[in-house]
Amino acid sequence: FSSPLSLSLSLTCSSSCSDIFFTSSSTHIPPSLPPSLPPSLFKDELWRIQEKLECYFGSLVGSNVYITPAGSQGLPPHYDDVEVFILQLEGEKHWRLYHPTVPLAREYSVESEDRIGRPAHEFTLKPGDFLYFPRGTIHQADTPPGLAHSTHVTISTYQNNSWGDFLLDTISGLVFDTAKEDLEFRAGIPRQLLLQVDATAVATRLSAFLRTLADRLEGTKELLSADMKKDFVMNRLPPYCMGDRAELSVPGGPLPRLDSTVRLQFKDHTVLTVGPDQDQSDETQEKMVYIYHSLKNRRETHMMGNEDTESHGLRFPLSHLDALKQIWGHSAIPVKDLRLTTNEEKENLVLSLWTECLIQVL
């Protein structure tokens, strides 16, 4: 994502569009609804769009709907820490976009008019028009006078989803593994190091440690994700479906057996990661394979980040990793061909996945 995009879509907007929302600032919020509930909870169309985009990007996708009165502006010039997609639903919205002062910004910030200069792009969106601009793009929008109101939906993604974030997520696991094998990483830091002001000597030492980590990383096949993978799956939308969602919670079809051929399903709603066994102490922790999925997630908790948000999934010994990669990497695979030592292990693995509705028997 590097530059703004504006185009027109063929779209029919009904008068019910204005029922869906809440947002921030100058927007009208239905008095009976708390402002924290996501629009996708009330509009199946938004649920479907956001769920597909979360599969496509591999990142959380949020939405807000803004209803702005004529002759008014909700927010001053600012930039966001997300990739922004705008779809105009009703009325018109006058937009001004400016060159970023912080390209691919990692946080929200208001910018003063005297700093941003003249707009790089200026236009008015009408119903059916679609606009994209990258993180860090400074923007402001207002509803022209003489109209009833303007309604648009903002869909956003890629918050805290940069290479820097991924490094922060994985480096701790790499250090943990290296320290178990490398005596230098377990050595105590020099006396009174934390009291020193000059960091030159420390930086030289840390550079050597980072080179060791880089060398180790070159041959690593499994990275330990501390939080990103799990947080994404826990807080994303469940698969879009109509009806009672039984297919997402109750396994169907025949039980998998040794002579069965199985296929992974809901792959885009599942992550596989390696991590330390959380049931053991730090001294004895062994690696485990964790599978997290979003089949049982609830629309009302999408991106809420509540402490009581529940994770759903399975864990297996590290010895099962190759077999799981076989299932993930093939369109279909015979159970007997899984790379596990015993037939009992093969049957137990596929039965566990089937129970979670993650595979089907062909």
Side-chain angles (χ1 to χ4, degrees):
F1 312 121
S2 59
S3 60
L5 168 68
S6 180
L7 55 101
S8 181
L9 299 179
S10 175
L11 178 73
T12 301
C13 296
S14 69
S15 58
S16 63
C17 287
S18 59
D19 297 340
I20 49 184
F21 335 111
F22 35 66
T23 85
S24 55
S25 228
S26 69
T27 341
H28 300 307
I29 301 173
S32 60
L33 296 176
S36 59
L37 294 176
S40 58
L41 177 60
F42 304 99
K43 279 292 181 180
D44 288 345
E45 294 89 341
L46 276 176
W47 173 20
R48 182 179 60 179
I49 290 170
Q50 289 177 237
E51 182 260 329
K52 294 303 181 187
L53 288 175
E54 286 183 336
C55 291
Y56 179 77
F57 287 118
S59 176
L60 294 175
V61 175
S63 65
N64 293 304
V65 179
Y66 296 85
I67 307 175
T68 312
S72 62
Q73 177 171 329
L75 296 169
H78 68 281
Y79 58 79
D80 297 299
D81 59 346
V82 288
E83 307 287 336
V84 176
F85 302 85
I86 305 288
L87 180 60
Q88 187 70 23
L89 301 178
E90 298 175 324
E92 298 180 2
K93 202 69 173 279
H94 171 235
W95 287 86
R96 284 169 285 175
L97 308 184
Y98 305 81
H99 292 298
T101 53
V102 182
L104 300 180
R106 290 176 50 83
E107 58 187 7
Y108 168 93
S109 181
V110 174
E111 289 283 22
S112 61
E113 293 271 7
D114 57 356
R115 186 182 180 199
I116 59 179
R118 296 176 59 83
H121 304 277
E122 185 171 5
F123 42 79
T124 298
L125 296 185
K126 299 180 180 181
D129 287 347
F130 180 82
L131 168 67
Y132 159 75
F133 51 86
R135 279 178 293 146
T137 301
I138 302 168
H139 57 281
Q140 59 179 326
D142 62 273
T143 302
L147 300 176
H149 63 272
S150 165
T151 305
H152 76 266
V153 59
T154 296
I155 294 177
S156 57
T157 189
Y158 259 63
Q159 186 178 52
N160 300 328
N161 213 49
S162 67
W163 277 113
D165 296 304
F166 190 69
L167 276 171
L168 288 172
D169 185 63
T170 56
I171 200 72
S172 60
L174 186 62
V175 172
F176 181 85
D177 279 353
T178 306
K180 290 203 295 186
E181 302 176 11
D182 192 321
L183 183 63
E184 290 293 319
F185 278 72
R186 300 198 303 275
I189 60 176
R191 184 176 59 86
Q192 295 190 341
L193 174 63
L194 302 181
L195 303 178
Q196 294 180 12
V197 176
D198 187 358
T200 304
V202 177
T204 301
R205 190 76 179 99
L206 288 177
S207 295
F209 282 126
L210 290 174
R211 282 190 287 271
T212 299
L213 292 175
D215 291 340
R216 182 183 179 93
L217 189 60
E218 290 290 338
T220 299
K221 294 183 178 179
E222 289 84 38
L223 291 174
L224 279 71
S225 173
D227 297 303
M228 283 183 74
K229 285 188 173 183
K230 183 179 179 181
D231 286 351
F232 167 51
V233 170
M234 283 179 60
N235 291 289
R236 66 170 299 184
L237 284 164
Y240 175 79
C241 67
M242 305 304 293
D244 60 4
R245 300 180 60 197
E247 64 175 309
L248 304 180
S249 57
V250 180
L255 271 68
R257 303 189 182 279
L258 187 63
D259 59 353
S260 301
T261 296
V262 297
R263 177 175 63 194
L264 182 69
Q265 59 182 359
F266 302 110
K267 184 176 181 178
D268 289 339
H269 282 267
T270 310
V271 298
L272 188 154
T273 187
V274 175
D277 187 350
Q278 298 169 2
D279 290 343
Q280 295 181 336
S281 67
D282 289 343
E283 294 298 323
T284 59
Q285 273 186 336
E286 298 291 335
K287 289 183 182 178
M288 301 288 289
V289 183
Y290 291 89
I291 296 172
Y292 299 107
H293 65 79
S294 58
L295 305 191
K296 300 175 184 176
N297 287 8
R298 295 183 298 140
R299 292 166 68 182
E300 55 266 31
T301 61
H302 177 232
M303 293 181 65
M304 290 298 186
N306 297 334
E307 292 183 1
D308 57 351
T309 300
E310 185 180 1
S311 63
H312 307 284
L314 301 163
R315 70 173 189 168
F316 299 97
L318 191 61
S319 58
H320 286 49
L321 181 59
D322 284 344
L324 288 165
K325 286 184 174 180
Q326 285 179 279
I327 297 173
W328 256 250
H330 292 79
S331 57
I333 186 166
V335 175
K336 61 182 176 61
D337 291 346
L338 294 175
R339 290 196 285 268
L340 287 169
T341 305
T342 68
N343 289 337
E344 182 181 11
E345 286 180 319
K346 298 175 184 180
E347 287 192 312
N348 287 340
L349 172 61
V350 294
L351 182 59
S352 296
L353 294 171
W354 179 82
T355 302
E356 288 290 304
C357 303
L358 297 178
I359 62 170
Q360 61 180 153
V361 179
L362 303 180

